[in-house]
Every structure is written in structure tokens, then in C-alpha cells.
Amino acid sequence: MNPFVSHLECSLEGTRVEAGPTYRLSEAGRPLLVRYRLDEVAAAVDRDQVAARDGGFYKWRELLPPGDFDRVPRLGEIDTPLIALDDAGLLTVKDEGRLPTGSFKARGLALAVAMARELGLTRLCMPSNGNAGAALAAYATRAGIRSLVYCPADTPRINIDETRLAGAEVVEVDGYIDDCGKRLAERAAAEGWFDVSTLKEPYRLEGKKTMGIELAMQWGWRLPDAIFYPTGGGTGLIGMWKAFAEMRELGWIEGPLPKMIAVQADGCAPMVRAWEAGENFARRWEHASTIAAGIRVPQAVGDFLILRAVRESGGTAIAVSEGEITRSWISVAREHGTLLCPEGAATHAAWRRLTDSGWLAGDARSVLFNCATGLKYALPDAG
Ligand SMILES: *Cc1c(COP(=O)(O)O)cnc(C)c1O
């Protein structure tokens, strides 16, 4: 364990538990967050020296949980590029599709697997809509750990094949990702698999957090006005918000924090419904359906953390239609030579809607998160 880690904290009640043993949720059944002695980190390291290291997201090691970075599983991690979609640089895409396994799920699973190995676990499992399972399989295989993934049977074929090829056992389930989670939990308990599902162990979030640190570094230690994030389980959004708080405390960033905009699809929008009703928790979305598979998540354990980050940041939650997703997917590829994934296209559609309506000022600087390569999906017909 990183010696700068001070403890783990229940994200709902703030109760502390000692870092070190393996944990899943807190006693209250909520996600656990890793806390660091940030004053000691600030005194021990220089921000710009840390930023100059190689190793992609692993470079932020004082702010990550592993103790031994010589042994973390590596597959060629890099900083992902920011691609401007206009001359003024107001609208940029952070292209997470360049990471190992073609999605930002690599960030979280690399850290979850690294910690699992440090803690002596040998069997990891999770339910997945596709990209997470592939990242788990690849990093687990790299670390010599077995993996088991339950997927909805209508998960994009390429993801299921990729996950199997990278060494995981894959079980296809007739249902949604939360149904997969329930089925998997029974088998995991019986056979001793450790569940690394979104926010059900504390370390995956720490990997996702690096999106926020990396973005700040690329923006000269300031942040954009708005971040559009395709929200399923919400770890990326929650992780970035945690990163911003930590970097503020470290004195690494200046200026205001961005508005966090949670983007969902009309066919699966539990966060948007809860946001519009002013609620702190979200009810399950029945009959979820969207081509943006990564955000087809009917229910999220971190619902209150997503809603809290959106609220604290002065952001909003917005759902877009399948038609808007497809139109943005095609237009960004055609006009900018930039192939998004449908979840990334949803953020573009949301950006268009919020600038058209005037909710977002015309000169606001926005970053869209494209969380996977578009090449993993059945592509739209450009007509
Ligand atoms: C998993 C995934 C998301 C949603 O990410 P969360 O942080 O779990 O909300 C969005 N887009 C793609 C491509 C994904 O794979």
C-alpha cells in the first residue's frame, strides 16, 4: 500500500476504516473512498516533476493506492490526447479510446488488478456491458490473475470475443448489467471470486480519478468551464471530482472547478430523472435501451455521489435521444475526422443542446469525454 494512504472512508457516512485488508462496501453498504495524507504528499513531491514522468496514468503514484509500482500490470499506458473540434479550442474531445483495450476502463481496472495482486487475491470477477470486462481480462491476465465476467447477451459481440480472448471466462446473461451482477454474486460467494464491480471495491475509482489529474495537467493546471461525461455507473465523473478536490488541497490547480454534466440516453436516464426531481438517490430505470452500451446502466451504487458532484459543481444532468447520438456520431466523424464511440457522441449531442439553449455560454470551454474507441461498435451508415 502507498504509505501516503491514511485510511478508507464511507462515502455516505464518513466513517473511517483502516487501509490494508481487502474491502468491498462500507458497513452502511456504500462505496469506500481512499484518503491520503495530502499535506505530506505536497511536501514530498513536486507537481511538475511528477507530471514529467513516463507511464501514463501510473505516473501519479503518490496519489494512487499501490505500494510497489515495479509490479503493477502494464500494457503501454499513455496520456490520452485532447483533440480540438474548432479553431478557438473551445470544444475539445479527450480521446480515451487510445488506452490499452481501447477504453478508459483500463485506468480503473489496472489499479483494481494491481491492488488485488498486492492484497493476494487470485480470482476477480465483474458484470460488464463490454469495455470493463475486456480491461479486467487483459490486466488480470497480465498480472497472472484469473477473471470471470458476466455480460448481458446483447453486449456488442466484439467486446465479448475480446474479453474471452484476453483470458476471462465469460457468461452471457439474458438481462441487464445489474441482473448480471446479482447472478454473479451468487457464484462469486460460492466459489470465492472477488467482485471488482464499479464502486464495490475502493481502488478502481482511484484509476478513474487520473482522468481528472491528466486533464488538469494538459490544461496547464487549470480546468475547462464544463466537462461532459457519458454517465453509466458514474465512476469517471465521481473520480474526476475527487481528483479536483485532492489537487486543490495539494495546491496543484488554480481557478474555478468545471461544471460537471452527466450525460445519459433517453432510453436509460435514471440520473437525469433523479436530478430533475431534486432527489439525492436514483430509482432503477426499467426496460433500459440505447445503442450507447456503456451507459446502459439502470441502477448505480454511486448514484448519490454522481448527483452530489453535479450539484456541487453547478452542472446538470441531461438525456439525449438515439437520433441525436447518431447525428453527432456521423457529423463529428465527417466534419472533424474524429471517430467517437456512441457514448462520446452522446456528450457531443448534449453539448450541442446546452449551447443551443443558452444554458452554456457560447464562449465556454468544454471537454467531451470519449471513453472508448468507436471501432468497437457497429458503425452508423453515413448514407
Ligand atoms: C463504461 C463506459 C461509460 C460509463 O462510465 P462510468 O464511469 O461507469 O459512468 C461511458 N462510455 C463508455 C464507452 C464506457 O465503456
Side-chain angles (χ1 to χ4, degrees):
M1 181 76 69
N2 171 356
F4 290 115
V5 170
S6 68
H7 63 279
L8 306 179
E9 185 182 286
C10 170
S11 54
L12 185 68
E13 299 187 336
T15 44
R16 297 163 67 112
V17 290
E18 180 202 347
T22 53
Y23 292 106
R24 302 197 60 236
L25 296 169
S26 72
E27 272 191 5
R30 299 294 175 177
L32 283 165
L33 303 177
V34 183
R35 296 299 183 201
Y36 300 81
R37 281 183 276 274
L38 294 173
D39 49 341
E40 291 180 19
V41 174
V45 298
D46 176 69
R47 178 192 72 186
D48 298 330
Q49 279 174 1
V50 175
R53 290 175 186 154
D54 292 331
F57 54 77
Y58 279 133
K59 72 163 67 72
W60 311 107
R61 49 182 186 252
E62 287 79 7
L63 297 173
L64 294 174
D68 182 0
F69 279 84
D70 291 336
R71 291 197 68 230
V72 295
R74 290 182 193 265
L75 288 166
E77 296 72 25
I78 55 155
D79 297 340
T80 62
L82 281 170
I83 304 166
L85 297 189
D86 61 346
D87 292 339
L90 293 179
L91 182 60
T92 48
V93 172
K94 186 146 173 71
D95 190 9
E96 294 284 301
R98 316 294 180 96
L99 286 167
T101 72
S103 87
F104 84 122
K105 295 291 195 303
R107 296 180 187 264
L109 272 317
L111 269 296
V113 169
M115 285 307 292
R117 180 154 74 179
E118 259 189 44
L119 297 168
L121 301 170
T122 57
R123 300 168 140 224
L124 300 179
C125 68
M126 63 159 41
S128 171
N129 278 329
N131 289 325
L136 170 63
Y139 279 98
T141 292
R142 196 79 181 161
I145 289 176
R146 287 177 60 195
S147 57
L148 169 65
V149 176
Y150 275 42
C151 286
D154 58 355
T155 299
R157 202 69 235 161
I158 187 89
N159 288 294
I160 294 181
D161 293 344
E162 180 194 7
T163 304
R164 277 208 183 104
L165 201 51
E169 180 190 342
V170 182
V171 177
E172 295 172 47
V173 173
D174 187 18
Y176 295 103
I177 188 167
D178 52 348
D179 301 316
C180 292
K182 281 178 204 137
R183 290 270 295 277
L184 178 56
E186 293 160 24
R187 178 160 165 208
E191 296 179 12
W193 295 88
F194 185 80
D195 186 346
V196 289
S197 314
T198 304
L199 290 168
K200 288 192 180 162
E201 57 75 57
Y203 303 118
R204 231 177 116 182
L205 185 69
E206 296 303 290
K208 296 287 183 76
K209 175 178 94 175
T210 61
M211 281 193 295
I213 311 177
E214 193 175 297
L215 179 65
M217 173 188 76
Q218 290 171 318
W219 272 72
W221 304 105
R222 294 178 169 276
L223 289 163
D225 298 311
I227 289 180
F228 286 77
Y229 188 77
T231 304
T235 36
L237 192 150
I238 298 165
M240 281 194 272
W241 197 239
K242 182 174 189 284
F244 299 156
E246 290 175 358
M247 286 191 290
R248 268 227 164 138
E249 207 172 320
L250 287 165
W252 283 18
I253 51 171
E254 286 170 37
L257 299 184
K259 294 185 194 313
M260 303 300 283
I261 297 161
V263 179
Q264 299 200 302
D266 277 347
C268 183
M271 295 305 142
V272 178
R273 182 169 63 189
W275 172 256
E276 286 174 353
E279 282 158 6
N280 293 328
F281 295 90
R283 266 182 306 122
R284 185 175 195 270
W285 189 274
E286 302 300 330
H287 312 295
S289 157
T290 169
I291 52 168
I295 55 174
R296 198 181 62 162
V297 179
Q299 189 156 38
V301 268
D303 53 358
F304 65 107
L305 296 172
I306 299 170
L307 293 163
R308 189 193 289 168
V310 168
R311 191 175 311 111
E312 285 176 0
S313 73
T316 189
I318 176 172
V320 295
S321 71
E322 299 295 290
E324 287 175 296
I325 292 174
T326 304
R327 276 195 296 283
S328 279
W329 203 359
I330 293 172
S331 73
V332 174
R334 277 213 168 145
E335 291 160 29
H336 305 288
T338 301
L339 182 66
L340 303 176
C341 60
E343 299 83 350
T347 66
H348 183 267
W351 169 82
R352 174 158 284 165
R353 190 100 75 68
L354 291 182
T355 37
D356 283 353
S357 73
W359 187 91
L360 196 64
D363 60 354
R365 293 157 308 165
S366 299
V367 173
L368 312 179
F369 272 83
N370 186 57
C371 289
T373 168
L375 294 173
K376 282 199 182 187
Y377 300 76
L379 296 178
D381 184 352

